[in-house]
Amino acid sequence: MSRPLSHNDSGTSVVVDFGSHTVRAGYSGEELPKHVPYNFVGEVEVDGKSNRYCGDSAQYVRDPNITIGRPMENGVVKDWDLFDSMLSYTLHLFWAHADAAELPFLFTEAAWAPPEDRKKLAELIFEKNHIPATYFAKSQVCSAFANGKSTALVVDSGATHTSVVPVIDGLVLKKSIKQNDMGAQYVQKCVERFAEKKGIDLAVRQEIESKEKVHPGEKPKFVKQTHKCYSRSWLSQQKEQLLEDCVKHFVSIPVSQADVLEDNQENKTVKEYEFPTGYTHIFGTDRLGIAESLFVPQDDRSCVTSLVKASVNSCDPDLRPTLMSGCILAGGNTLIEGYGERLIYEMQKKNAPTLKFRVSNSSKSSHIEWERQFSSWTGASILSSLATVNDLWICRKQTRTFMSTGEGDQRPLIAEFDERDSVSYEEFGGTQDYVNCPTCQGTGRISSSTSQQLVALIPYDDDRLKPKKTAMYVTLAISGAVFVCGLIAGMLVYFMMPRPVEINMIGLERTGADFNPETNSLAMNFTIPLLAKNPNYSNANLTSTDGTVSFMTSQVGKVKDKRFHILPSRTTESWQNVTTTIIFDQSNHLQWIYEWCQVGATKILSLTIHINANVTVRGTVQQTAIQQLCYVSCDPENRDSRSNCNYSPF
């Protein structure tokens, strides 16, 4: 893909992200890579000479003697000879433009890659390919940067492996890295076992000479090639691409077993897929169990959920909530339908309800495919576009010095200055170059009459320039500063510290009574005066008041006041009134109170009042509970609203 010359300006670099399945390469500052070739190399022996075909070109060579090999596995290089060819192929994709020859290259590497691999890669970059400058970044850190996070739990599931890497402030926590071999190739093997169980022929398109169209579910009618011969590794590569397409179109992971039953009843899971042989299979709920083993622990390997749990538990307890709430999915294998939702369900099921597990990029957006598949490249592109990265580039000259000396000391040369054995006193006048100082006479003092004309130059090693009481002055200054700071801090604590606000209930006043002879019910209205004392040096807020009124064991009324009351600072008395209505009727089986208050001798009721008051002082919420037993009159002829209460706070 071509690129305008205007992009080759200052600050532009090339970003290369090597993966086990593909290579992502492009220019910094862009959203997507320019080139995404397959990361495999085809080799053909012709007349004793080896011809190599890198990337996508290898799959178009149908020589029966071709051998296709992968230079990388589990994110690290396993064959440096093949990797050298793939590196040269990737670099030449950009060197086709003359302006790209002097651009720096940023390479990503796995978090668990050994240091020897970086040294070997630097040797290939500088000594063989003559790249002017380079920089190496961890791919998992770049995935976090691509999602706008410097601290995250990166779950990267690629072609050959799945890894869980905690990233803390842009640094990898190596002791907590967990990984297994359950990547995309593992899921493809699950699809292959499923097809073998169903009797589905997984012949690739190049093996089919002719086929007939059949209805879905019918036996395929096709004829295989007999006159063409393909190498085993080439056919294996083609079959891998077929299985990759199968995973993309019909493999799905259910959130839970209940979802499988629901989808089965509503026929949501039915999908059709036509294989190269012409056979069309109708998939139902059986496709939901193909990749189920990713989240079910096996005998010889840990599932994805176990990896995440083990990685988080190996981190510091203070970091666990942040990592749990900031998980990031990366890699093409996480694009399987239902992968993110199942991970959230399994993790939340095993964690405490207060510890939420969230995936930052779990939304089903239109860009979710390339956001996960190219997240490490996108983060590296963002990193290389920053102005601060200009100081991090490693140039070819520095690397040669490092390799030749075996040391990484790149300190600048220190200029040598002439040292004088003795320096005499000199002074500069207004018009004269210099004269001997006639005024100070070795005392270091200049008279006031000549202070505006003469300036003495005193040697730096003169004892008179060394204050004799410096230590005492510094000690006094520090002590004074500490005392003042302590005094200010103590005053702030004294005046700002919240003090408890005291709230008391003072009596109970009846404001009305309603006797209903038709329903034998009695309703009485009361006003409850509250006395508040605020000893704080700032206003307090009485935000809410609620409670209950009980007679014997039955609740006959409620106290609820949502009004906002301000209690002035340093006040000893502040009156606030709340109201309540108590009812004696058939609903609380106290309709007999009506008759008792009409003909009874005492006509006195004992009410238990329980009030909860919420007070806010400088953002601190205080709760005060008050319980009081009051005796009130229910005599309809008695107009005395006073009550006798026994206050008992608890």
Side-chain angles (χ1 to χ4, degrees), residues 439-473:
T439 56
C440 62
Q441 299 295 329
T443 63
R445 297 185 179 90
I446 302 177
S447 61
S448 58
S449 60
T450 58
S451 59
Q452 302 297 327
Q453 302 176 6
L454 302 176
V455 177
L457 300 181
I458 304 175
Y460 69 92
D461 57 351
D462 194 291
D463 292 336
R464 288 170 294 179
L465 294 180
K466 300 177 182 179
K468 304 232 178 342
K469 298 183 180 181
T470 300
M472 183 182 66
Y473 294 151

Side-chain angles (χ1 to χ4, degrees), residues 85-102:
S85 301
M86 196 66 205
L87 176 62
S88 300
Y89 169 79
T90 305
L91 299 180
H92 280 83
L93 293 175
F94 298 92
W95 287 346
H97 306 285
D99 61 327
E102 297 300 324

Side-chain angles (χ1 to χ4, degrees), residues 207-506:
E207 294 181 287
I208 308 300
E209 183 174 355
S210 62
K211 61 181 178 180
E212 298 181 12
K213 187 174 182 180
V214 295
H215 295 287
E218 291 185 359
K219 187 177 181 180
K221 299 177 182 179
F222 65 97
V223 179
K224 282 191 174 183
Q225 294 275 8
T226 57
H227 58 282
K228 291 185 178 180
C229 181
Y230 301 103
S231 69
R232 181 176 298 179
S233 62
W234 188 87
L235 284 177
S236 177
Q237 177 60 34
Q238 297 300 316
K239 188 175 182 179
E240 183 178 334
Q241 295 184 15
L242 170 62
L243 293 173
E244 182 181 348
D245 188 70
C246 293
V247 172
K248 181 179 179 181
H249 284 87
F250 63 77
V251 174
S252 180
I253 302 175
V255 177
S256 63
Q257 206 61 29
D259 293 340
V260 177
L261 299 177
E262 181 182 351
D263 293 346
N264 190 24
Q265 293 174 358
E266 300 180 5
N267 293 327
K268 292 182 180 179
T269 60
V270 176
K271 284 191 177 183
E272 295 183 0
Y273 183 80
E274 182 179 352
F275 291 88
T277 59
Y279 171 68
T280 301
H281 185 78
I282 302 176
F283 292 91
T285 56
D286 51 354
R287 71 186 183 92
L288 301 178
I290 296 177
E292 181 71 12
S293 57
L294 287 176
F295 294 92
V296 177
Q298 304 293 323
D299 295 335
D300 55 343
R301 54 170 64 93
S302 300
C303 64
V304 179
T305 311
S306 300
L307 291 181
V308 175
K309 193 72 175 178
S311 179
V312 172
N313 289 339
S314 61
C315 297
D316 190 83
D318 296 339
L319 299 174
R320 293 173 189 174
T322 305
L323 295 176
M324 291 286 288
S325 61
C327 178
I328 293 175
L329 297 181
N333 197 42
T334 62
L335 296 174
I336 298 178
E337 183 182 356
Y339 190 100
E341 292 79 3
R342 179 62 176 274
L343 179 60
I344 296 175
Y345 173 79
E346 292 289 342
M347 288 300 300
Q348 199 59 50
K349 183 175 65 174
K350 296 182 178 181
N351 292 329
T354 56
L355 188 60
K356 299 294 184 182
F357 182 82
R358 295 183 177 89
V359 176
S360 301
N361 56 347
S362 62
S363 60
K364 297 180 180 179
S365 63
S366 57
H367 307 297
I368 193 64
E369 181 174 352
W370 61 262
E371 283 179 356
R372 293 187 186 176
Q373 192 171 2
F374 303 139
S375 62
S376 58
W377 186 93
T378 304
S381 175
I382 296 172
L383 177 63
S384 60
S385 302
L386 301 178
T388 53
V389 83
N390 293 331
D391 299 330
L392 302 178
W393 292 113
I394 304 172
C395 65
R396 188 188 312 167
K397 182 179 180 180
Q398 291 173 328
T399 308
R400 285 179 177 175
T401 305
F402 176 83
M403 292 181 178
S404 61
T405 61
E407 299 179 356
D409 189 6
Q410 300 175 12
R411 294 177 297 175
L413 294 178
I414 301 176
E416 294 182 359
F417 296 93
D418 295 333
E419 297 183 359
R420 299 181 180 179
D421 296 334
S422 59
V423 181
S424 60
Y425 290 101
E426 299 175 350
E427 64 177 344
F428 293 88
T431 57
Q432 301 175 351
D433 290 338
Y434 85 93
V435 294
N436 293 328
C437 179
T439 56
C440 62
Q441 299 295 329
T443 63
R445 297 185 179 90
I446 302 177
S447 61
S448 58
S449 60
T450 58
S451 59
Q452 302 297 327
Q453 302 176 6
L454 302 176
V455 177
L457 300 181
I458 304 175
Y460 69 92
D461 57 351
D462 194 291
D463 292 336
R464 288 170 294 179
L465 294 180
K466 300 177 182 179
K468 304 232 178 342
K469 298 183 180 181
T470 300
M472 183 182 66
Y473 294 151
V474 171
T475 303
L476 291 176
I478 295 177
S479 301
V482 171
F483 175 76
V484 172
C485 292
L487 180 61
I488 295 175
M491 295 178 63
L492 289 176
V493 171
Y494 178 78
F495 288 105
M496 304 292 289
M497 183 178 66
R499 295 172 174 82
V501 177
E502 182 181 354
I503 298 180
N504 298 325
M505 176 180 168
I506 309 299

